[in-house]
Amino acid sequence: MGGGHLLPVKRWLGLDLGASFVKAALLSDGRLIDGFILPVSGRYREVVAQILETIETSDLAGMGITGVGVEGVDLSAPRFSEVAAHARGVNLFFPHVKTVIDIGGQFTRVVRVGPGGKVLDFIISEKCATGSGRFLQIMARILHVDIEELGRLSFEATQPVEFSTNCAVFAESEAISRLAEGAKPADIVAGVHHAMAAKVEMLMKRINWEPPVAVVGGGGQDKGLIRAVEKKLQIEVVVPPQPIITAALGAASLASLDVTSRARDYGADF
Amino acid sequence: MTATEKLKKIYGERPKRTRELKEEGRKIAGYFCCFVPEEILSAFDLVPFRLQGNPKDPVDQADAFIEPMACPFARSCFNQALKGNYDFLDAFIAPHSCDTIDRLSNIWFHNRPVSFNHLLNVPHMRERGAEEFFRSELNYLVKCLEEWTGKKLVLEKLRETIRLSNKKRALLRNLYELRKKDPPPVSGAEMLEVLVAGMGIPVPEYVNLLTQYVEEVKSREVKSISLRPRLFLWGNAIDDSTFVQLVEHSGTWVVMDDLCTGSRSFWEDVPETSDPMEGLARRYLNVPCPRSNYPRTGHREVDLESRFGYVGAFVSSWKVGGAILYLIRYCDTCELEGPDLKDYLNKKGIPVLMLEDDYSLTTLGQLRTRVQAFVEMITGVV
């Protein structure tokens, strides 16, 4: 006996097959050790194959998947809702957070989180792009700027544009006519952030949110949007280091907890 | 063929059975919602046909007549009419249930009239004065039907159709009672199909099928204990079982409902009053559709209890662990009442998932993620 050796540390893979991107996270010993993001346009199978080629899979202990694309791949891995995956992923970084806002490419989700990352309640935006990342994509396109630039640009705003519509499609034509009238792109972007923050606030109120609050998803990378949300809620929010891969991380973590055997007992075929 | 198979076939092929009846010389009376007494239609030897939409068939004609931002269920129903799928109707009776059905019926009468077209005025307030008003509206419906058919209403025949419809209701309540078992011998999706199958055939035929079906269900072997959460479903017209299947495939049982294609359509009997029109008026006026109003005291708790008390009794008797409120988009009455019901159920410790859908099977993926997250939450598996 004696002279103990280190056991190889198990790695867990989480995949989040989102509307705009496929996100992958590798978890080991409760920590995020690697994460990457690939654009997707419905080609989930190809992108997943690409990811599985990139990483060393021989020593993988297991995998968990989440996201709108789970129906499009035939992986024999446990599936989790984005809601549970985000709650769990955020909990690994910020165990004290009670409300998670996920601003994704298609939907915005607000999750109330209990101890251990348990989902207490959640709400998902309806088929409407104003509260989602799609709104930012539309605006980036008509302003001819990179989506990554929107946050920085909004800090140059002096008179944010008020949007009189709640619809992203109509807001597009509204933004174009404002530009024609001479509004600054920065003021338009700040106006978009305000409109989105207002949508987020409505979802928050509907489920009786509590601080502390974390923002994740692609929207978490937009500092201007974060500032607008903070202003609306009158609190400071926390954002994990790579907010876009939180759900992937959560899926990896949930897979490591082996909750799926329990889920099977319920007869769920997800 | 067992009654289970027969009912499944009638549901799956609907409205084939109704068309057959038409070819046999029966007259078919289409109607909307839960406010048109089938007993009156049956007493005139008409086959009552509850109008349905088709969520599998996208609306491609109705938009030329109705704004796309109108109730997608109503648009789907009218779309079916425009495509000739309701050409077997002899009569069409629209109640003033909600403004959409009221106004749609005008468009329908004008563009696709059938032999007998009638708007039944239904008062909004559930109280005594309204009952008298509604009774005279039902008398007016009878008068119009007498003129159209050339036959006088025979009161004894009406009493008989009331007794038979009450028998149908008792059989359906009996089936719902069996769903108190865990696991239930009938899934929510199957129950819905059985109900919808009965919405286009004569009541005596349905009563015969149900009588056999109840026996078949009673003799089913129920599997071992179930860990699945038992859900309650609230909403309006769900006349396709796909959504309920989705909910149950996510690892649940739908054991009780307050849907206008479910318990709301049959739960209460028609009282056998000396003037049958009195019992009919009282029973049909009090259908708890969100379009109706009820006298209020001004005390929120009391008013919520008088509106939703029956739902409270349903969820406790059927041991429900979660509720899904399934709202059809642009249904103002549902969308405005939903938050009150959510509040009422939450206070009873029942978690609630509110879903908004546009009466189309193209959005199933989005509904699935919401249902899945809800099931994860209430079972505590993650």
Side-chain angles (χ1 to χ4, degrees):
Chain A
M1 318 306 285
H5 58 277
L6 281 174
L7 284 168
V9 182
K10 283 182 173 179
R11 296 189 311 155
W12 298 84
L13 174 66
L15 292 178
D16 175 7
L17 312 172
S20 307
F21 298 97
V22 169
K23 288 80 78 176
L26 276 167
L27 174 85
S28 181
D29 200 16
R31 284 167 199 279
L32 173 67
I33 53 167
D34 200 2
F36 40 102
I37 300 157
L38 290 168
V40 68
S41 37
R43 301 170 300 112
Y44 289 108
R45 275 165 211 264
E46 292 165 45
V47 177
V48 168
Q50 214 179 320
I51 289 170
L52 293 177
E53 269 173 36
T54 318
I55 58 166
E56 180 58 53
T57 50
S58 57
D59 68 331
L60 267 190
M63 171 169 38
I65 58 176
T66 184
V68 291
V70 291
E71 302 294 330
V73 292
D74 42 7
L75 292 169
S76 60
R79 299 167 178 192
F80 306 100
S81 70
E82 299 93 319
V83 167
H86 274 299
R88 182 72 199 165
V90 167
N91 189 258
L92 292 176
F93 285 108
F94 308 116
H96 59 292
V97 159
K98 288 188 173 159
T99 309
V100 175
I101 306 169
D102 162 37
I103 302 173
Q106 232 178 22
F107 298 105
T108 296
R109 303 176 185 85
V110 180
V111 189
R112 272 181 43 221
V113 187
K118 288 259 179 207
V119 175
L120 299 180
D121 202 358
F122 68 93
I123 189 163
I124 305 176
S125 61
E126 286 300 331
K127 269 190 279 180
C128 165
T130 320
S132 78
R134 185 73 73 226
F135 198 12
L136 294 174
Q137 290 171 347
I138 291 170
M139 287 302 158
R141 181 168 52 75
I142 59 173
L143 295 173
H144 303 288
V145 294
D146 269 355
I147 193 157
E148 289 80 12
E149 287 296 300
L150 290 178
R152 188 193 52 73
L153 190 58
S154 72
F155 284 86
E156 293 168 13
T158 48
Q159 280 178 303
V161 166
E162 286 280 344
F163 283 94
S164 64
T165 172
N166 270 329
C167 169
V169 176
F170 289 122
E172 177 173 0
S173 55
E174 204 171 326
I176 290 169
S177 42
R178 292 303 180 87
L179 280 173
E181 287 164 20
K184 286 195 302 179
D187 289 339
I188 301 240
V189 177
V192 167
H193 287 152
H194 284 184
M196 290 178 69
K199 280 271 175 187
V200 167
E201 189 198 15
M202 283 308 118
L203 291 174
M204 301 280 280
K205 281 186 171 171
R206 279 190 176 211
I207 66 162
N208 302 320
W209 68 282
E210 281 182 277
V213 174
V215 180
V216 297
Q221 297 174 322
D222 184 327
K223 291 199 163 52
L225 179 58
I226 295 291
R227 188 182 61 163
V229 169
E230 287 182 327
K231 215 172 147 190
K232 253 305 169 230
L233 301 176
Q234 299 186 314
I235 53 156
E236 282 187 16
V237 303
V238 291
V239 180
Q242 282 177 277
I244 197 165
I245 62 162
T246 324
L249 179 65
S253 172
L254 288 168
S256 77
L257 297 174
D258 192 31
V259 293
T260 44
S261 55
R262 280 186 63 197
R264 264 195 300 276
D265 289 342
Y266 286 95
D269 60 3
F270 46 75
Chain B
M1 209 192 280
T2 62
T4 308
E5 288 160 350
K6 282 181 193 159
L7 286 160
K8 180 110 192 150
K9 191 164 182 286
I10 293 173
Y11 166 82
E13 296 175 346
R14 69 194 195 286
K16 186 178 166 215
R17 177 70 194 125
T18 319
R19 283 187 182 280
E20 283 169 10
L21 291 158
K22 168 87 173 178
E23 280 157 24
E24 290 164 19
R26 298 291 305 264
K27 285 204 180 333
I28 317 292
Y31 67 98
F32 270 121
C33 305
C34 300
F35 294 101
V36 180
E38 64 181 18
E39 292 87 344
I40 294 178
L41 305 178
S42 304
F44 280 98
D45 292 318
L46 301 166
V47 176
F49 179 83
R50 171 87 177 261
L51 288 163
Q52 295 155 25
N54 185 353
K56 294 187 172 85
D57 187 16
V59 173
D60 55 356
Q61 312 263 316
D63 286 357
F65 300 86
I66 322 172
E67 283 300 312
M69 277 168 82
C71 166
F73 166 74
R75 286 168 58 231
S76 176
C77 290
F78 188 47
N79 202 61
Q80 295 303 307
L82 289 171
K83 291 168 89 168
N85 293 342
Y86 286 143
D87 57 3
F88 54 82
L89 295 182
D90 298 286
F92 171 33
I93 300 150
H96 171 38
S97 38
C98 58
D99 286 353
T100 302
I101 296 297
D102 180 324
R103 301 302 160 114
L104 169 69
S105 65
N106 281 330
I107 300 171
W108 194 315
F109 293 161
H110 182 65
N111 291 289
R112 282 292 180 280
V114 295
S115 175
F116 177 82
N117 305 282
H118 189 92
L119 179 73
L120 176 67
N121 196 349
V122 187
H124 276 274
M125 192 54 101
R126 294 161 57 181
E127 41 88 41
R128 229 181 145 73
E131 237 172 78
E132 279 168 35
F133 175 89
F134 190 44
R135 194 168 153 187
S136 63
E137 284 299 311
L138 290 180
N139 282 327
Y140 178 60
L141 168 66
V142 167
K143 187 173 160 263
C144 294
L145 283 169
E146 285 177 337
E147 279 166 18
W148 176 59
T149 57
K151 288 191 287 191
K152 275 286 184 199
L153 174 71
V154 182
L155 275 186
E156 199 36 59
K157 194 163 182 186
L158 182 60
R159 290 197 181 93
E160 197 185 300
T161 59
I162 288 173
R163 277 193 292 272
L164 198 63
S165 284
N166 280 345
K167 189 172 177 188
K168 173 188 92 172
R169 295 181 179 114
L171 286 162
L172 290 169
R173 283 194 304 267
N174 198 340
L175 280 169
Y176 270 52
E177 195 65 28
L178 294 170
R179 296 163 79 200
K180 283 182 176 170
K181 288 186 190 166
D182 198 31
V186 186
S187 70
E190 182 181 339
M191 190 66 237
L192 184 68
E193 292 179 3
V194 166
L195 283 159
V196 174
M199 291 177 184
I201 60 177
V203 180
E205 183 177 332
Y206 191 45
V207 164
N208 285 341
L209 283 168
L210 279 182
T211 310
Q212 286 178 50
Y213 178 68
V214 170
E215 293 312 311
E216 288 169 19
V217 168
K218 279 182 182 165
S219 66
R220 281 182 190 175
E221 299 235 349
V222 175
K223 280 173 256 158
S224 59
I225 48 157
S226 156
L227 288 168
R228 296 188 181 198
R230 300 164 60 83
L231 299 186
F232 169 78
L233 186 56
W234 184 81
N236 278 347
I238 302 186
D239 48 18
D240 182 285
S241 60
T242 313
F243 170 69
V244 185
Q245 274 168 14
L246 179 156
V247 173
E248 293 186 319
H249 287 173
S250 303
T252 69
W253 294 115
V254 174
V255 293
M256 193 52 195
D257 71 76
D258 180 20
L259 299 173
C260 73
T261 45
S263 75
R264 203 182 294 158
S265 68
F266 70 81
W267 202 255
E268 297 294 333
D269 276 345
V270 172
E272 293 186 31
T273 46
S274 57
D275 175 359
M277 299 304 279
E278 185 189 337
L280 287 171
R282 192 182 310 152
R283 155 63 172 74
Y284 279 91
L285 180 70
N286 283 297
V287 168
C289 174
R291 61 68 83 183
S292 288
N293 235 316
Y294 52 96
R296 289 168 208 236
T297 62
H299 298 286
R300 183 164 169 79
E301 304 301 315
V302 177
D303 290 341
L304 281 182
E305 194 58 41
S306 76
R307 169 64 184 97
F308 295 119
Y310 68 103
V311 172
F314 282 167
V315 297
S316 68
S317 302
W318 270 261
K319 297 197 169 53
V320 162
I324 295 182
L325 314 188
Y326 176 89
L327 316 177
I328 291 178
R329 199 180 303 273
Y330 310 127
C331 175
D332 292 347
T333 57
C334 265
E335 304 223 15
L336 293 170
E337 245 199 356
D340 269 359
L341 179 57
K342 182 172 195 256
D343 191 29
Y344 177 82
L345 288 168
N346 280 162
K347 280 182 182 142
K348 292 192 175 296
I350 308 280
V352 172
L353 173 68
M354 266 172 105
L355 291 177
E356 205 182 30
D357 193 23
D358 47 11
Y359 194 75
S360 142
L361 299 187
T362 57
T363 50
L364 282 181
Q366 292 165 22
L367 294 181
R368 189 180 287 112
T369 42
R370 287 161 169 77
V371 171
Q372 187 189 337
F374 184 64
V375 175
E376 286 172 346
M377 184 182 95
I378 62 175
T379 54
V381 288
V382 292

